[in-house]
Amino acid sequence: MTALLESPLLLAAERQTLRDPALLAAGTTIPVGVTPQGVALSPNGAHVYVANQGSNTVSVIDPVSNTVTATIPTNAGPSLIAVSPDNTRAYVAQSGDASLGVIDTTTNTVVANIAVGAAPIGVALTPDGTRAYVANFQDNSVSVVDTAAGTVTATVPVGPGPVGVTVTPDGTRAYVASTADGSVRGIDTATNTVTSTTVVGDVPVLVAITPDGTRAYVSTAGAQFVAVMDTATNTVTTTIPVPTPRAVAISPDATVVYVANLDKDTVSVIGIAANAVLGTLPTGDGPLGVVVTADSTRLYVTNSLANTVSVISPQAIPSAGPIIGGTTVIIRGHNLSGATAVHFGTATATILANTSTSVTVSSPPGYGTVPVTVTTAGGTGSFGTFTYRPTPVLLDATVTSSPFGGVGGAQGPTSGGGTAVITGLNLAGATAVHFGPSLATIVSGTDTSLTVTIPAVPGPGPVAVTVVTPGGTSNSLAFIYVDPPTLTSASPNEGPTSGGNQVTIQGTNLATAQSVTFDGVPAYFSVVSDNTFSATAPAHPVAGPVNIAVTTVGGSASSGLYTYVESPG
């Protein structure tokens, strides 16, 4: 008898109203322990394990009912967690008492606590489950644990402040992120020695490896980007801006990377093919840990400030794009093998890749909000809608507050700080604002204006300000960064206590001077060039040397260049 072909199922029961720039339909929120940190899925998909650092417990979630079925007491400070390949053990790093807890997953009890280094946080298992690698934050080391014997067989010195550790799919290397020196070290698991050190960016936290082992994605909390490493050469090939990244998880079908953004209550979705952010997903308060189910159809996200776990069902990533088309959209569901057509309204999308659980397409041109359908040999499934957005247009950028002055213009210090208002059209749903190489923090926004925190940049000069929305990337506006000033000389360098002396001051970066003082007393001044300004020395009550200080858009400088002298009597 001919087998019946199943029609494509697109998780319609879990579909909800999407929030701009929403990419997923939210599912269940599960209460767990206090300050949930790491989350791990058993390889057979039967259980989700959550380490609750604040309550010294591990919650066990049934992914069928999405309820907590057991709560396991642990030693102090459970942080990150891993499950053995045979599903019989869960290993949790217990940062409060320098141990690795071993949980029997049948009885849901801790059967051993193995002493490791001080403040262990990260833990990863080799593919055969025979060894656990534990990152010890305070010891600047990685403990290698024989899981059968329950003993530490080696201690590997690594960089300062190691947090995340992971093992490559072939088991030949472990990678550990050292937060204090901005590096990722590669450990040869045959010799348990460090064989590579790669500088990735400020405060690297966690590392995830693609299923084929060719790339590592590293969250760098200080630099606010994800660094992409080529594991063959151990070099950074690109960086992808995301805000306050923590956990990184790669979908088993190797199409996307999910990044928990702690301070933004979102998860960024990065397309692996383009190494670009496709959009963001709403979560609970303080997302920290992320894990993806084996069929890539659900995310479990720990919300560290809400004491919950969000269960999120991926569908279309993203659900909006520019009217010109060309957006890479990943559609997730079931029974999608052999998709013959994907339609956005009546227009046909170009199919780029296809598996049983996903179809990746390039959106056709269009307008408004249109239905999305997928057709296979088993029938046609409805997917909801895709919204076409017009391209954002920028009109003006104005500084509204600054650490050193310059309000009302489009310039600021290289150290960043203060706020700017960007005006334009079609700005709703902005996902990123770039000031040259740096990512600004979006404070608030409407369709015609965005308020952002001005970021720091590596050096002075003009940079391009651009805004990214689901409709595309805007035109650019110029913003000028200014280095702090210096003062080198004053001529004349002395004058009467009665004031009135005309003093020429030399230095650097003086063109944007906002104020000049002599021993804290404001002085009249005029800027001659970027290296010179002229000031009228104010009266001073007593004779003696004083500091001349200048404040510019770029910062402040002060130097004892002038001396007051008594008038003859």
Side-chain angles (χ1 to χ4, degrees):
M1 182 174 64
T2 303
L4 294 177
L5 291 171
E6 296 180 286
S7 63
L9 172 63
L10 295 172
L11 305 174
E14 297 177 338
R15 190 174 299 124
Q16 296 181 358
T17 301
L18 298 181
R19 184 180 89 181
D20 268 332
L23 309 172
L24 303 183
T28 305
T29 298
I30 307 169
V32 289
V34 179
T35 320
Q37 304 277 300
V39 57
L41 183 72
S42 59
N44 62 5
H47 297 96
V48 178
Y49 295 87
V50 180
N52 305 306
Q53 190 175 68
S55 56
N56 300 330
T57 59
V58 168
S59 297
V60 184
I61 296 173
D62 177 355
V64 176
S65 62
N66 279 329
T67 58
V68 174
T69 57
T71 301
I72 307 168
T74 67
N75 284 1
S79 299
L80 301 184
I81 191 166
V83 184
S84 63
D86 63 3
N87 306 290
T88 62
R89 294 287 187 269
Y91 296 86
V92 58
Q94 297 168 145
S95 58
D97 77 338
S99 69
L100 180 68
V102 184
I103 297 172
D104 184 322
T105 58
T106 302
T107 62
N108 283 328
T109 57
V110 175
V111 294
N113 289 293
I114 304 167
V116 289
I121 297 180
V123 57
L125 298 170
T126 53
D128 60 7
T130 59
R131 283 173 291 171
Y133 285 77
V134 183
N136 305 309
F137 183 79
Q138 290 182 359
D139 271 2
N140 303 333
S141 68
V142 169
S143 297
V144 184
V145 176
D146 182 324
T147 56
T151 58
V152 173
T153 58
T155 300
V156 185
V158 292
V163 173
V165 61
T166 190
V167 179
T168 56
D170 63 6
T172 61
R173 282 170 292 171
Y175 285 96
V176 58
S178 297
T179 57
D181 71 354
S183 69
V184 170
R185 284 168 173 78
I187 298 172
D188 185 328
T189 57
T191 61
N192 285 325
T193 57
V194 172
T195 57
S196 66
T197 299
T198 306
V199 176
V200 294
D202 190 26
V203 193
V205 183
L206 297 174
V207 185
I209 307 288
T210 54
D212 63 5
T214 61
R215 281 181 281 181
Y217 287 78
V218 186
S219 60
T220 54
Q224 299 197 49
F225 58 62
V226 170
V228 184
M229 280 177 52
D230 182 327
T231 57
T233 61
N234 289 315
T235 57
V236 174
T237 57
T238 190
T239 59
I240 307 165
V242 292
T244 62
R246 292 301 188 271
V248 184
I250 297 174
S251 63
D253 61 9
T255 57
V256 294
V257 181
Y258 298 103
V259 185
N261 302 316
L262 180 66
D263 294 341
K264 293 299 181 180
D265 300 339
T266 61
V267 168
S268 291
V269 183
I270 296 172
I272 287 180
N275 273 334
V277 174
L278 302 176
T280 56
L281 329 171
T283 66
D285 195 6
L288 191 60
V290 179
V291 70
V292 192
T293 57
D295 60 4
S296 301
T297 60
R298 275 181 293 172
L299 304 179
Y300 286 83
V301 182
T302 58
N303 303 310
S304 62
L305 301 180
N307 303 328
T308 61
V309 170
S310 294
V311 186
I312 304 173
S313 300
Q315 293 186 7
I317 306 172
S319 62
I323 58 178
I324 60 173
T327 301
T328 299
V329 179
I330 300 174
I331 300 169
R332 296 189 181 280
H334 300 291
N335 310 320
L336 300 179
S337 294
T340 56
V342 176
H343 288 96
F344 285 52
T346 58
T348 303
T350 301
I351 297 175
L352 304 176
N354 188 196
T355 70
S356 62
T357 57
S358 72
V359 183
T360 302
V361 302
S362 178
S363 65
Y367 295 91
T369 299
V370 298
V372 177
T373 58
V374 178
T375 301
T376 72
T380 297
S382 177
F383 180 69
T385 61
F386 183 89
T387 301
Y388 286 97
R389 298 291 182 83
T391 303
V393 177
L394 302 189
L395 302 176
D396 185 49
T398 303
V399 175
T400 53
S401 69
S402 174
F404 307 109
V407 173
Q411 54 188 0
T414 53
S415 57
T419 57
V421 172
I422 300 168
T423 58
L425 304 171
N426 311 319
L427 304 181
T431 56
V433 177
H434 297 277
F435 280 60
S438 301
L439 188 67
T441 300
I442 300 174
V443 178
S444 61
T446 68
D447 198 46
T448 57
S449 72
L450 299 172
T451 299
V452 301
T453 300
I454 301 169
V457 294
V463 300
V465 176
T466 57
V467 173
V468 180
T469 75
T473 300
S474 70
N475 59 306
S476 64
L477 298 174
F479 188 91
I480 299 174
Y481 277 97
V482 181
D483 260 343
T486 64
L487 298 178
T488 56
S489 67
S491 179
N493 61 3
E494 61 181 13
T497 56
S498 58
N501 226 16
Q502 294 299 309
V503 183
T504 299
I505 294 98
Q506 301 287 333
T508 61
N509 306 316
L510 303 176
T512 61
Q514 308 289 299
S515 66
V516 175
T517 62
F518 283 59
D519 198 25
V521 179
Y524 292 105
F525 72 96
S526 62
V527 174
V528 178
S529 69
D530 195 42
N531 299 318
T532 307
F533 66 86
S534 176
T536 303
H540 198 266
V542 295
V546 298
N547 282 334
I548 297 176
V550 61
T551 297
T552 71
V553 167
S556 298
S558 177
S559 184
L561 299 176
Y562 193 76
T563 301
Y564 281 97
V565 296
E566 293 284 1
S567 299

